[in-house]
Amino acid sequence: MSAPTSISDTSFHTSASDAVAKRNAVVLAVAMALGGSSPAIVVSLGGLVGQALASNKELATLPISLLNLGLALGTVPAAMLMRKAGRRLGYMVGAGIGLAGGCLAAFGIAAFSFPLFCLGTLIIGSYGSFNQSYRFAATDAASESFKPKAISWVMTGGLVAGVIGPQTVIWTRDAVEAAPFAGAFLGQATLAMLSMIAVSYLRPAPVGLTAAKTGGRPLLEIIRQPRFIVAAVSGLVSYSLMTFMMTAAPLAMIGCGHPIGAAALGIQWHILAMFGPSFFTGRLITRFGKGPVTAAGLVLIALAAIIGLSGLGIAHFWTALILLGLGWNLGFIGATALVTDCYRLEERAKVQAANDFLIFGSVAIASFSSGKLLSAGGWESVNWLVFPPVVVALLLLAWQQKTKLIAPA
C-alpha cells in the first residue's frame, strides 16, 4: 500500500500521532512529578546529613554536588540504554536505579557511613538523567506545532514535584527513629517505585524503517551545526546560571543576617517561578517563536542579577530568585525546543544525550563553584558573573535569528 499523500490523510496521521504524544506527555508529567521530587529531597537534607556524618565538615555539601555529578555522568548511558531498549523499558530501569539509590542513601544514614550516603546521592543523580530526558521523550510522536506544548506539559510535573519533595521530607524524615532523615530517603525510593509504574503506561512513538537501521549522521557533524551550538549554549547558560545563583542565594541571605525561614521561603517562590509558567510557555513559543522566548528567558536571568546587585534586603533576594526562576523556565524550555530542530528521528538519542551532558556537566561545575565564589568574593561577585554568559548567548541567538538558521516554531 502506498503512503498517504492527500491533505486529509496527512492530517489524519498527524492527529493520530499527536494523540499518542498527548497521552505520553501526561504520563511523563506524572513521572516527572514523582521522580522530579528526588533532587528536592537531596538538596533539602543532603547538607544536614553530610554535616552529621562527615568527619570533615567542609565536605558536608558533597552529597548535593554528587547529585549533580551523577546527573551529568548518567546522561550518555541513559541515552544508550533507551536507544537499545526503548523509552519505556529505559525509564523503568531508571526508576529502579532511583529506588536503589534512595535505599542505599537510607542505609548509609542508618550505618553512619558518609561514603555510602554519598554513593546513594550519586546514584539518585544518575536517576535524574533519565528524568531530565522526559521533556524530549514527549516530543517523539508530536507534530511540530505540538512539540513546545508537549515539553511544557512535562515541565508542569516539576511544579508538582516542588511540592511533593518537601512534603515527603516533612512527613517521613522521622519515620525511622534510630536514624533521623533515613525515612525521607526511603520515601524518595517509594516515589521512584511509583514512577516506575507510571512510565509503564508510556506508548512507543512510531519509528520508521530508516531509523531502525541506521544511527543517522555522525554526532560530531550534528553538534557542529550552528543550530545545535546556539540551542546547547542557550540551555547551558540558562540552567547553569540558575543553579549558580540559586545555590548561593540562601547562603548569602543567611550571611546578611536574614532568618533561615526567609531563605527557605525565597527558594520556595523560586521553584514555583521555575515551573509555574510551564502551563503557558508552549503557547508563547508557538506564538512568538523559539528563539525570542529563549532570549526573553536569558534577559530575565540578567534582570535577576541586576536586582541582586541593587540591594541586600529580603525583597531584593526574593525578587531576584523569582525572576531567576521565570528566566530559567523560558530559557530552558525554549532551548529544549530549539534542540528538537537539530536532529532526525534516528539521531535523537545521541543528540539529546550530548546536549544534556553539556548542560548538566556545566550545572555540576556551577554547583561546585558557587559556594566557593560566594565565600571568596561575596554575593556581588556571583551576580556580576551572570552577565558575560548571558550576553554571549543573546548574541548567538540574534545572529541565528538574523541569518534565519533557526527553524520556525
Side-chain angles (χ1 to χ4, degrees):
M1 183 180 293
S2 60
T5 56
S6 69
I7 294 177
S8 59
D9 284 345
T10 301
S11 299
F12 172 79
H13 282 271
T14 299
S15 177
S17 182
D18 273 353
V20 174
K22 289 177 181 178
R23 173 192 170 92
N24 285 348
V26 172
V27 169
L28 292 168
V30 172
M32 176 64 83
L34 296 167
S37 63
S38 294
I41 295 171
V42 176
V43 170
S44 297
L45 298 178
L48 294 174
V49 175
Q51 194 171 40
L53 298 181
S55 57
N56 182 353
K57 301 308 177 186
E58 292 183 359
L59 299 177
T61 59
L62 180 61
I64 300 174
S65 297
L66 289 174
L67 173 80
N68 290 314
L69 181 62
L71 178 55
L73 295 178
T75 52
V76 174
M80 292 175 63
L81 174 62
M82 287 184 285
R83 184 178 177 184
K84 294 291 185 181
R87 294 280 197 195
R88 180 168 57 191
L89 181 57
Y91 287 143
M92 292 180 71
V93 171
I97 291 172
L99 171 61
C103 291
L104 182 59
F107 179 75
I109 295 172
F112 299 99
S113 172
F114 185 59
L116 282 179
F117 178 69
C118 287
L119 180 59
T121 63
L122 180 71
I123 293 173
I124 293 171
S126 67
Y127 169 41
S129 64
F130 288 86
N131 297 341
Q132 287 295 335
S133 69
Y134 289 167
R135 68 193 197 279
F136 287 120
T139 69
D140 287 348
S143 63
E144 285 300 318
S145 61
F146 184 66
K147 281 182 179 180
K149 294 180 181 178
I151 296 169
S152 287
W153 286 18
V154 173
M155 297 303 285
T156 58
L159 179 63
V160 181
V163 176
I164 292 177
Q167 289 300 312
T168 299
V169 171
I170 292 171
W171 287 99
T172 63
R173 62 186 177 184
D174 298 322
V176 182
E177 293 184 6
F181 305 131
F185 287 91
L186 292 177
Q188 178 273 325
T190 302
L191 292 172
M193 182 177 65
L194 294 175
S195 176
M196 186 186 300
I197 297 172
V199 295
S200 68
Y201 289 93
L202 197 67
R203 288 185 179 176
V207 179
L209 293 176
T210 303
K213 294 181 179 180
T214 178
R217 297 166 292 172
L219 179 61
L220 184 60
E221 177 184 338
I222 300 170
I223 65 176
R224 289 172 61 184
Q225 295 178 101
R227 283 183 185 175
F228 179 83
I229 292 172
V230 172
V233 168
S234 299
L236 184 155
V237 169
S238 298
Y239 215 128
S240 297
L241 291 181
M242 185 277 294
T243 301
F244 187 62
M245 288 187 68
M246 179 193 69
T247 302
L251 298 174
M253 290 186 72
I254 294 170
C256 290
H258 300 305
I260 295 176
L265 190 57
I267 293 298
Q268 179 178 323
W269 282 111
H270 168 71
I271 293 174
L272 291 173
M274 283 176 62
F275 295 103
S278 299
F279 290 103
F280 54 82
T281 304
R283 294 182 181 180
L284 290 177
I285 292 174
T286 300
R287 180 172 180 178
F288 298 106
K290 301 167 186 174
V293 169
T294 305
L298 292 166
V299 169
L300 285 172
I301 291 174
L303 285 176
I306 292 173
I307 297 298
L309 289 168
S310 66
L312 298 175
I314 291 179
H316 293 96
F317 281 104
W318 285 3
T319 303
L321 285 168
I322 290 171
L323 289 173
L324 182 65
L326 294 172
W328 174 85
N329 184 279
L330 298 181
F332 187 57
I333 293 180
T336 298
L338 287 173
V339 172
T340 63
D341 291 332
C342 302
Y343 54 79
R344 301 165 186 162
L345 183 63
E346 65 271 20
E347 300 164 346
R348 64 192 180 195
K350 60 185 177 183
V351 177
Q352 292 165 8
N355 176 75
D356 279 3
F357 179 78
L358 291 171
I359 289 176
F360 296 111
S362 300
V363 167
I365 294 172
S367 175
F368 276 110
S369 62
S370 180
K372 291 186 177 180
L373 181 64
L374 178 67
S375 177
W379 176 241
E380 186 178 76
S381 64
V382 171
N383 286 279
W384 277 115
L385 281 176
V386 167
F387 300 114
V390 168
V391 169
V392 170
L394 287 174
L395 288 174
L396 285 173
L397 280 166
W399 173 71
Q400 288 277 53
Q401 200 73 27
K402 183 178 181 180
T403 56
K404 302 186 184 301
L405 289 176
I406 292 180

